[in-house]
């Protein structure tokens, strides 16, 4: 017996009879034909941003369907023409290293009778260039006991952008400065020439760090007058030229 198209769970049994004298009828056990909802996607794959050479993970969550549930991920470079990805048959998919923006969707099927396939929304994995420093921190001159403010400007990168300023007394061996994690940094009070650089990082997959050029904050002595203006004697209506010589200062 092939049932009619069903819209709700239905129970069946069969009564078997034989026409000869004395044959008793037999009733089968009950068979339950459970009708469940078609496949429905409850969590779509979501967009992501990565740097060139990074990877992304896309996933989907479903309800409904019966029988064997199968997944087939597909990719596209234009968001229109999709093709199957060999071996991408789970509810999640880890992309290969990407060098261009790529689009993904998944087709989900259930093997039971009359289960309709569903196709997910399209997830866009956007590939952006790595961080580029567009304005490096610049050299400065201050007097002993002064401070200097350094800054950096960047473009590109994606995810959380973080900064770590570093300092050095020899221009070669740099160490992190605790708490110096913004795009600008005001130095502590300086008594000697000090060198600074900043490392900029992006948290997204494949994003490489960028290190700024070194900024030299030169500390020079305060102004010292080496030659004072001197006394002079002139007649009424005359003029006098005064001068001073100094060293130091910035």
């Amino acid at each position: 017996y092939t049932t009619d198209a069903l819209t709700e769970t239905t129970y069946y049994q069969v009564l078997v009879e034989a026409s000869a004298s004395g044959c008793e009828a037999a009733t089968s056990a009950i068979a339950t034909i459970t009708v469940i909802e078609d496949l429905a996607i409850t969590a779509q794959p979501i967009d992501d941003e990565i740097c060139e050479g990074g990877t992304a993970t896309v996933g989907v969550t479903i309800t409904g369907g019966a029988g064997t549930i199968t997944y087939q991920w597909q990719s596209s470079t234009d968001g229109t023409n999709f093709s199957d990805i060999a071996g991408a048959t789970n509810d999640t998919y880890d992309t290969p290293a990407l060098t261009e923006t790529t689009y993904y969707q998944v087709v989900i099927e259930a093997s039971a009778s009359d289960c309709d396939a569903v196709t997910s929304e399209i997830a866009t994995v956007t590939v952006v260039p790595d961080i580029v420093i567009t304005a490096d921190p610049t050299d400065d001159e201050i007097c002993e006991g002064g401070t200097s403010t350094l800054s950096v400007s960047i473009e590109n990168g994606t995810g959380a952008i973080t900064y770590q300023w570093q300092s050095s007394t020899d221009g070669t061996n740099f160490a992190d400065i605790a708490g110096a994690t913004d795009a600008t940094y005001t130095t502590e009070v300086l008594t000697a020439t000090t060198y600074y650089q900043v490392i900029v990082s992006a948290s997204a997959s494949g994003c490489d760090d960028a290190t700024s050029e070194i900024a030299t904050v030169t500390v020079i002595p305060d102004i010292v007058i080496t030659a004072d203006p001197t006394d002079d004697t002139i007649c009424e209506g005359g003029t006098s030229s005064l001068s001073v010589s100094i060293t130091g200062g910035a």
Side-chain angles (χ1 to χ4, degrees):
Y1 170 66
T2 300
T3 72
D4 297 330
L6 301 178
T7 59
E8 61 181 343
T9 296
T10 307
Y11 306 88
Y12 293 90
Q13 64 183 20
V14 59
L15 177 63
V16 186
E17 297 178 333
S19 63
S21 175
C23 293
E24 296 179 357
T27 302
S28 71
I30 296 172
T32 304
I33 308 299
T34 304
V35 177
I36 62 176
E37 295 180 352
D38 274 322
L39 291 166
I41 295 174
T42 57
Q44 299 283 350
I46 58 175
D47 296 342
D48 197 5
E49 280 192 347
I50 62 174
C51 287
E52 186 172 348
T55 63
T57 298
V58 288
V60 68
T61 303
I62 66 164
T63 59
T68 302
I69 307 298
T70 58
Y71 302 83
Q72 179 58 65
W73 288 91
Q74 300 176 327
S75 65
S76 169
T77 56
D78 61 9
T80 301
N81 300 297
F82 284 85
S83 57
D84 291 349
I85 304 168
T89 54
N90 296 317
D91 58 352
T92 61
Y93 172 65
D94 297 324
T95 74
L98 299 178
T99 57
E100 62 180 337
T101 295
T102 307
Y103 307 87
Y104 294 93
Q105 65 182 19
V106 60
V107 179
I108 309 165
E109 297 180 333
S111 64
S113 174
D114 208 41
C115 292
D116 295 330
V118 292
T119 302
S120 72
E121 295 178 359
I122 296 170
T124 304
V125 180
T126 303
V127 177
V128 300
D130 278 317
I131 292 170
V132 174
I133 293 175
T134 56
D136 286 284
T138 57
D139 296 341
D140 196 8
E141 283 190 342
I142 61 173
C143 288
E144 186 173 348
T147 63
S148 181
T149 297
L150 308 169
S151 65
V152 67
S153 296
I154 68 161
E155 61 182 21
N156 301 331
T158 187
I161 306 297
T162 57
Y163 302 83
Q164 179 59 66
W165 289 89
Q166 299 179 324
S167 65
S168 169
T169 56
D170 61 9
T172 300
N173 300 295
F174 284 83
D176 291 350
I177 304 168
T181 55
D182 294 322
T184 61
Y185 170 65
T186 299
T187 71
E188 69 278 15
V189 170
L190 299 178
T191 58
T193 295
T194 306
Y195 307 87
Y196 295 91
Q197 65 182 18
V198 60
I199 299 173
V200 189
S201 304
S203 65
S205 176
C207 294
D208 295 329
D209 295 345
T211 302
S212 72
E213 294 182 1
I214 296 170
T216 303
V217 180
T218 304
V219 177
I220 62 175
D222 279 320
I223 292 171
V224 174
I225 295 176
T226 56
D228 286 289
T230 58
D231 297 340
D232 195 8
T233 301
I234 62 172
C235 288
E236 185 176 349
T239 63
S240 181
S241 293
L242 308 171
S243 65
V244 66
S245 297
I246 65 163
T247 59

